[in-house]
């Protein structure tokens, strides 16, 4: 808790096909002590608090060096990545975590063919644990993780406004990795765990190699005339044993999001923008049948073998709402160019893996659910752009704690109210349109 400051500046230049962007980030957090949850029990390095005192970090941030040719770019970067069609969340990569070192081959603009347009990216990167990993005793491995992933989307020539695509990401502890092509580029491996080992089918060896994967499929459709966009993304984080198991049990280890945007014209050329999104990360109930006696501590970003989960420096690379949390978002706003005044409502059902694990214990009440009402304001004065957000949050059954009046006959949770604010100021050196 407390005051947090983020500063970033830099420059960009290009020399023929070579482009260089230097944009470091300076972060300072007051990091005051506050009551934290039980998340050290989950299979992911998800830090609620970074150490026990204030801290500062200087990071390379949104920096890169690239060679650009036509629609493609090849380079090294520490920039944040966002994959998928989500507006508020992404199943794989979002801007929630610190950027990580990676090599990238990606499209800079749609590559047009006689079949339609293609966009995509292939990355090789390095994920690291946080300096506070000792605070989580469930993560004993001290090893960085090798990352390989790809994403692509296709816009059919015959269906304007439709985009379909897929993404796949592997991570593996570097000490487990071999030197073959499939070790450096596992994204080209098969989807099944079953292998023939000396003529015998074996599905257990795969999980012993310190490796995990996530795969998603997504689609997006927008209609310019109706000023409407619809999208969804569906993902699975665990290999199927074989194709039969994948078909019979598609809900295992899944997560999904769906959303929409609608623009309603009003006088003076302005618009009312209505946006909504639903993100579901909670493990399907079939886990109880699939793994009898399971503790319930499974989540979209966690893994029993790769104990750090899909994280970097203690932060989740995908959704920032926490492991196994679900959220529903609805927003309405007046917009004109970059100016925006609006209101947003969020319902956040927190850490369902922990709730399932500890349900039945005497200290639990009901689910920990946050209801948030946010006031949004973006405004520009000449070269200065201000973005602001004020959140009013009512937490029901905070940390699954019971109130002092709680009893078995009349269960009552510990409800809390809090206010959070965010303010961002951006100054453009070159004159921009007001």
């Amino acid at each position: 808790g407390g005051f947090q400051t983020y500063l970033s500046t830099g420059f960009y230049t290009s020399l023929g096909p070579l482009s260089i962007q230097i944009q470091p980030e300076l972060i300072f957090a007051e990091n005051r002590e506050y009551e934290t949850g039980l998340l050290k029990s989950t299979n992911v390095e998800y830090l609620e608090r970074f150490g026990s005192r204030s801290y500062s970090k200087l990071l390379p941030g949104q920096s890169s060096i690239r060679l650009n040719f036509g629609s493609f770019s090849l380079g090294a970067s520490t920039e944040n990545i966002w994959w998928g069609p989500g507006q508020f969340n992404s199943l794989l990569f979002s801007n929630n975590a610190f950027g990580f070192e990676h090599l990238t081959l990606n499209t800079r603009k749609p590559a047009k063919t006689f079949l339609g347009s293609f966009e995509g990216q292939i990355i090789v990167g390095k994920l690291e644990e946080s300096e506070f990993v000792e605070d989580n005793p469930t993560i004993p491995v001290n090893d960085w993780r090798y990352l390989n992933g790809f994403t692509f989307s296709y816009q059919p020539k015959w269906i304007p406004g439709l985009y379909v695509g897929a993404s796949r990401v592997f991570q593996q502890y570097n000490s487990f990795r071999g030197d073959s092509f499939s070790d450096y580029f596992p994204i080209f491996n098969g989807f099944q765990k079953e292998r023939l080992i000396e003529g015998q089918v074996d599905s257990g060896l795969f999980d012993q190699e310190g490796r995990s994967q996530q795969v998603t499929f997504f689609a997006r459709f927008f209609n310019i005339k109706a000023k409407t966009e619809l999208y969804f993304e569906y993902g699975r984080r665990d290999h199927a044993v074989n194709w039969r198991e994948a078909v019979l049990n598609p809900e295992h280890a899944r997560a999904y999001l769906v959303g929409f945007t609608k623009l309603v014209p009003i006088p003076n050329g302005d618009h009312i923008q209505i946006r909504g999104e639903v993100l579901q990360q909670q493990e399907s109930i079939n886990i109880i049948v699939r793994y009898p006696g399971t503790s319930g501590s499974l989540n979209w970003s966690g893994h029993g073998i790769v104990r750090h989960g899909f994280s970097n420096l203690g932060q989740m690379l995908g959704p920032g709402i926490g492991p196994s949390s679900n959220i529903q978002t609805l927003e309405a706003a007046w917009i004109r160019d970059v100016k925006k005044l609006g209101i947003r409502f969020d319902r956040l059902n927190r850490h369902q893996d922990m709730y399932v694990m500890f349900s039945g214990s005497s200290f639990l009440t009901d689910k920990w659910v946050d209801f948030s009402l946010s006031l949004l304001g973006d405004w520009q004065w000449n070269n200065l752009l201000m973005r602001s957000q004020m959140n009013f949050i009512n937490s029901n059954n905070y940390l699954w704690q019971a109130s002092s009046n709680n009893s078995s006959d009349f269960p009552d949770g510990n409800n809390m109210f809090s206010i959070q604010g965010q303010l961002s100021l951006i100054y453009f050196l070159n004159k921009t349109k007001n």
Side-chain angles (χ1 to χ4, degrees):
F3 191 72
Q4 299 182 48
T5 303
Y6 168 89
L7 296 174
S8 179
T9 188
F11 69 89
Y12 172 88
T13 187
S14 60
L15 302 171
L18 178 67
S19 64
I20 301 174
Q21 177 172 296
I22 305 298
Q23 188 178 338
E25 299 171 335
L26 177 62
I27 299 169
F28 171 79
E30 195 174 7
N31 200 28
R32 290 182 181 178
E33 183 178 1
Y34 68 99
E35 194 171 13
T36 57
L38 303 169
L39 301 186
K40 291 181 181 180
S41 303
T42 193
N43 291 323
V44 61
E45 190 192 9
Y46 173 71
L47 296 182
E48 296 177 273
R49 190 176 179 214
F50 289 73
S52 58
R53 61 187 66 183
S54 62
Y55 71 90
S56 59
K57 283 183 175 292
L58 178 61
L59 300 169
Q62 310 305 307
S63 300
S64 66
I65 179 169
R66 297 172 177 272
L67 284 174
N68 306 304
F69 42 97
S71 298
F72 299 91
S73 178
L74 174 67
S77 174
T78 57
E79 296 170 287
N80 283 112
I81 301 171
W82 190 292
W83 284 2
Q87 301 177 88
F88 302 100
N89 296 282
S90 174
L91 292 186
L92 290 179
F93 291 111
S94 72
N95 56 6
N96 177 64
F98 297 125
F100 58 90
E101 303 169 10
H102 61 274
L103 302 177
T104 175
L105 173 62
N106 59 272
T107 52
R108 298 192 298 156
K109 56 184 179 180
K112 297 182 179 180
T113 71
F114 68 95
L115 295 173
S117 300
F118 292 85
E119 295 178 86
Q121 183 175 27
I122 297 177
I123 61 172
V124 170
K126 179 181 182 182
L127 302 179
E128 298 181 89
E129 65 189 19
S130 77
E131 59 189 285
F132 309 105
V133 69
E134 67 275 4
D135 293 341
N136 191 337
T138 68
I139 302 178
V141 180
N142 184 15
D143 192 7
W144 65 273
R145 284 154 289 143
Y146 177 83
L147 175 75
N148 180 217
F150 81 87
T151 186
F152 78 91
S153 67
Y154 167 55
Q155 197 276 303
K157 182 178 180 180
W158 305 275
I159 312 178
L162 176 65
Y163 295 81
V164 295
S167 304
R168 192 182 192 190
V169 173
F170 275 86
Q171 59 169 334
Q172 183 180 29
Y173 287 118
N174 189 59
S175 59
F176 287 80
R177 185 170 52 86
D179 293 320
S180 67
F181 178 84
S182 62
D183 290 313
Y184 282 101
F185 296 99
I187 55 174
F188 299 111
N189 291 350
F191 285 87
Q192 310 94 330
K193 288 184 180 180
E194 277 188 350
R195 304 179 186 180
L196 284 177
I197 308 296
E198 296 181 355
Q200 301 295 321
V201 174
D202 182 285
S203 61
L205 182 62
F206 185 92
D207 282 337
Q208 299 174 20
E209 296 178 341
R211 176 187 291 171
S212 70
Q213 79 142 353
Q214 291 172 297
V215 61
T216 73
F217 303 93
F218 56 86
R220 171 176 174 257
F221 178 77
F222 72 90
N223 186 298
I224 296 178
K225 186 175 180 180
K227 297 187 177 182
T228 301
E229 175 190 12
L230 304 171
Y231 62 87
F232 80 89
E233 185 175 20
Y234 180 92
R236 177 163 173 160
R237 64 164 173 79
D238 190 17
H239 276 71
V241 173
N242 50 40
W243 284 112
R244 179 178 182 274
E245 188 265 334
V247 173
L248 294 178
N249 197 190
E251 71 274 25
H252 170 62
R254 61 92 183 98
Y256 62 85
L257 63 82
V258 294
F260 74 93
T261 299
K262 172 66 177 178
L263 289 177
V264 180
I266 58 176
N268 302 322
D270 301 342
H271 290 84
I272 298 296
Q273 182 189 64
I274 304 172
R275 302 195 293 168
E277 186 173 283
V278 173
L279 169 64
Q280 187 82 5
Q281 296 184 101
Q282 181 180 355
E283 180 69 65
S284 170
I285 196 172
N286 88 313
I287 197 71
I288 299 174
V289 177
R290 185 182 178 99
Y291 299 123
T294 181
S295 64
S297 62
L298 298 175
N299 57 74
W300 168 245
S301 292
H303 193 264
I305 304 300
V306 181
R307 298 305 301 276
H308 290 80
F310 198 50
S311 66
N312 183 52
L313 298 176
Q315 295 179 310
M316 294 176 61
L317 289 166
I321 58 176
S324 197
S325 298
N326 307 320
I327 189 170
Q328 301 86 44
T329 299
L330 183 63
E331 177 185 297
W334 165 87
I335 60 172
R336 176 192 293 172
D337 299 324
V338 298
K339 296 178 180 178
K340 176 178 179 178
L341 297 173
I343 188 170
R344 179 188 302 166
F345 176 78
D346 294 281
R347 178 187 180 273
L348 173 57
N349 193 349
R350 288 184 176 270
H351 314 305
Q352 284 297 285
D353 50 353
M354 293 293 98
Y355 179 79
V356 172
M357 176 188 290
F358 293 105
S359 60
S361 300
S362 59
F363 65 88
L364 280 179
T365 54
D366 202 350
K367 298 177 180 180
W368 173 10
V369 180
D370 289 352
F371 294 94
S372 174
L373 181 66
S374 302
L375 303 180
L376 314 173
D378 298 348
W379 208 264
Q380 183 174 1
W381 298 273
N382 296 321
N383 290 27
L384 180 64
L385 174 63
M386 180 194 75
R387 292 178 175 173
S388 61
Q389 181 172 334
M390 183 67 72
N391 306 319
F392 303 90
I393 305 169
N394 189 66
S395 296
N396 290 358
N397 308 303
Y398 178 70
L399 287 177
W400 308 285
Q401 294 177 346
S403 72
S404 57
N405 299 321
N406 185 68
S407 68
S408 58
D409 294 328
F410 301 98
D412 185 18
N414 180 25
N415 300 333
M416 297 186 64
F417 179 78
S418 61
I419 299 176
Q420 297 178 348
Q422 294 178 325
L423 177 64
S424 173
L425 297 174
I426 302 174
Y427 185 81
F428 300 97
L429 294 179
N430 295 324
K431 186 175 177 62
T432 57
K433 182 180 178 180
N434 187 2

